[in-house]
Each structure stands twice: as structure tokens, then as C-alpha cells.
Amino acid sequence: MFDCMRVLKWLLCLLLLGLFTTHAHTQSLSVLALGDSYTIGESVPEQARWPNQLKSALGEKGISLRFHIVAKTGWRTDDLLAGMERVSDTATFDKVSILIGVNNQYQGRSIDQFEKELESIISAALQKCGNDTSSIFFISIPDYGYSPFGETLDTIKISEELDRYNAVTQMKAHKLGVPVVDVTSISRSRKGEMIAKDGLHPSQQQYAAWVDAIVERISFTTH
């Protein structure tokens, strides 16, 4: 005789086992994202920002990200340092991303000031991840000279100066032994479809390309 109760018990066991397995393989990571308009996704919907797109992409792989964003449009390195002071002293994070410098360049600040303040940002970031350098990664500064707004300015000067800023970031990253995600080359490709409606900032499509580069370059695992 067909035993319905026994079948139901087996199905229940399999369901519970499946739920347990899914839970066991889900990682939850906290991420401190430091930056400026590129990190908050100026001129794109919230879900189109690179942190949100990264959260969705990794969520499909069983990795849950919780972002704490310290960034505002127009921020230079000194502004970011001031913003970091408002993060709780007891807050710690599994990953810290750093993308800063475009407003230093745009506002004509010296690259020496950028380098000095970037060093301070790195020191503050390390305090937020237990001084674990493997928790930190950089994102290069995109080239706004390839945007419609940038094309009204001296594009050669913009690109050359941003290359120098990115070289400083690369040097600091190399010293720490941490990766830099290159989004500069992405920003210099397929101009029209990669720019938001404001004619300056990256579009959802460009941020999606950033996320692909981040996922390829950065390991998101618990220690």
C-alpha cells in the first residue's frame, strides 16, 4: 500500500536539508565604499549604481553584501577624510573600496596633496578592516574627458592628469599588495551608450561593465 505519510516525511526532510544547505553556503560580507559621485551613482537610479549592481551580481552567487557608503558628489580626498571621521569607531568591514581623486584633478588641486591625503585615507580604511590589507581594493578614476561635458574642455589635459592620479593610486596599491580595478579603460570606450543623461557621469551600462571588472578582479570571501 502506498504510504503517503512516509513520502511526506521524506519530502519534508529533503526540503529542510535544501534550506540548510542554501543557508550554509551563503556568505554575508560588509563593504565600506569610499568615494565621490561615481560611488553614489550620480544621475542614475539607485539600483543602477555600481555598489547596487555588484550586490545583485554576487547575490546570485550566494554572497550577500551589506554596503555602507561614504561618498558625495564633488568630494575631494580631504572631503572624504572628513566624511570618514563620522563613521563609528567601532564599525568594522570585510571589504573597503576606494575611488577618489577626480574632483582633486578637476579643481586643480596638486597631485602632492592628493598623494598625501590618499595615504591618510588608506590608513583610516585599514582601521576599519582590522588592518587587513587583503580587505582593501581600489577602483581607478574614470576619464570624464570622454564624456560630452569633458569634450567641451581640454580632453588631452584631462586624460594626462588623470593618468598621473591613477599612477599614484597604482603605486599605493602596489606598496600594499592590493588590486586596482581598471575602469578608466572602460570609460574611454563606447562613449555614447556609456554616459548618463547628464552628459558627464557613467550610465547604468558603464557601471555594469565596472561590476564585471570588479567581480573578475576581486575575491569576495570571508576570512
Side-chain angles (χ1 to χ4, degrees), residues 71-85:
K72 285 189 178 180
T73 296
W75 269 11
R76 303 179 303 268
T77 43
D78 56 333
D79 299 308
L80 178 55
L81 277 170
M84 292 179 71
E85 291 178 358

Side-chain angles (χ1 to χ4, degrees), residues 54 57-58 61 181 210-220:
L54 180 61
L58 291 182
K61 301 176 182 290
V181 180
W210 288 25
V211 168
D212 289 342
I214 292 170
V215 170
E216 182 178 345
R217 191 83 171 85
I218 307 301
S219 173
F220 288 90

Side-chain angles (χ1 to χ4, degrees), residues 180-204:
V180 178
V181 180
D182 175 24
V183 303
T184 312
S185 58
I186 296 173
S187 69
R188 290 170 173 168
S189 65
R190 293 165 32 190
K191 292 188 290 186
E193 62 191 273
M194 302 287 268
I195 302 297
K197 291 182 179 179
D198 67 356
L200 172 60
H201 290 91
S203 65
Q204 178 173 347

Side-chain angles (χ1 to χ4, degrees), residues 119-137:
E119 190 68 44
S120 297
I121 289 169
I122 293 168
S123 296
L126 283 169
Q127 293 176 19
K128 297 301 179 185
C129 59
N131 290 306
D132 181 5
T133 55
S134 68
S135 296
I136 292 178
F137 68 95

Side-chain angles (χ1 to χ4, degrees), residues 2-221:
F2 186 71
D3 193 336
C4 292
M5 290 302 298
R6 180 176 295 180
V7 172
L8 288 173
K9 286 180 180 178
W10 274 108
L11 288 174
L12 180 60
C13 288
L14 289 172
L15 176 61
L16 290 174
L17 179 61
L19 290 173
F20 175 77
T21 302
T22 300
H23 177 74
H25 285 84
T26 298
Q27 297 184 66
S28 181
L29 301 175
S30 57
V31 183
L32 177 62
L34 305 174
D36 47 40
S37 59
Y38 294 129
T39 297
I40 64 169
E42 183 73 24
S43 297
V44 298
E46 183 175 350
Q47 68 272 16
R49 301 169 181 174
W50 75 257
N52 297 71
Q53 292 199 55
L54 180 61
K55 182 177 180 178
S56 296
L58 291 182
E60 296 175 359
K61 301 176 182 290
I63 301 173
S64 174
L65 299 185
R66 305 185 311 278
F67 272 94
H68 182 81
I69 295 176
V70 179
K72 285 189 178 180
T73 296
W75 269 11
R76 303 179 303 268
T77 43
D78 56 333
D79 299 308
L80 178 55
L81 277 170
M84 292 179 71
E85 291 178 358
R86 295 192 286 272
V87 179
S88 171
D89 291 338
T90 59
T92 57
F93 301 88
D94 298 301
K95 288 286 184 183
V96 181
S97 67
I98 302 173
L99 166 52
I100 194 69
V102 69
N103 294 298
N104 291 66
Q105 182 276 332
Y106 180 69
Q107 296 176 27
R109 300 300 175 101
S110 74
I111 199 161
D112 290 337
Q113 178 186 358
F114 170 72
E115 182 174 358
K116 180 180 178 181
E117 291 172 350
L118 182 60
E119 190 68 44
S120 297
I121 289 169
I122 293 168
S123 296
L126 283 169
Q127 293 176 19
K128 297 301 179 185
C129 59
N131 290 306
D132 181 5
T133 55
S134 68
S135 296
I136 292 178
F137 68 95
F138 294 88
I139 300 175
S140 68
I141 305 169
D143 191 342
Y144 68 91
Y146 282 72
S147 69
F149 172 79
E151 288 173 348
T152 66
L153 307 173
D154 187 340
T155 57
I156 295 176
K157 179 174 180 286
I158 291 170
S159 294
E160 289 177 347
E161 291 183 352
L162 289 179
D163 282 344
R164 287 197 288 272
Y165 273 78
N166 281 324
V168 170
T169 299
Q170 186 69 55
M171 177 185 66
K172 299 296 182 185
H174 180 74
K175 182 179 178 181
L176 288 171
V178 301
V180 178
V181 180
D182 175 24
V183 303
T184 312
S185 58
I186 296 173
S187 69
R188 290 170 173 168
S189 65
R190 293 165 32 190
K191 292 188 290 186
E193 62 191 273
M194 302 287 268
I195 302 297
K197 291 182 179 179
D198 67 356
L200 172 60
H201 290 91
S203 65
Q204 178 173 347
Q205 291 77 13
Q206 183 174 161
Y207 283 132
W210 288 25
V211 168
D212 289 342
I214 292 170
V215 170
E216 182 178 345
R217 191 83 171 85
I218 307 301
S219 173
F220 288 90
T221 57

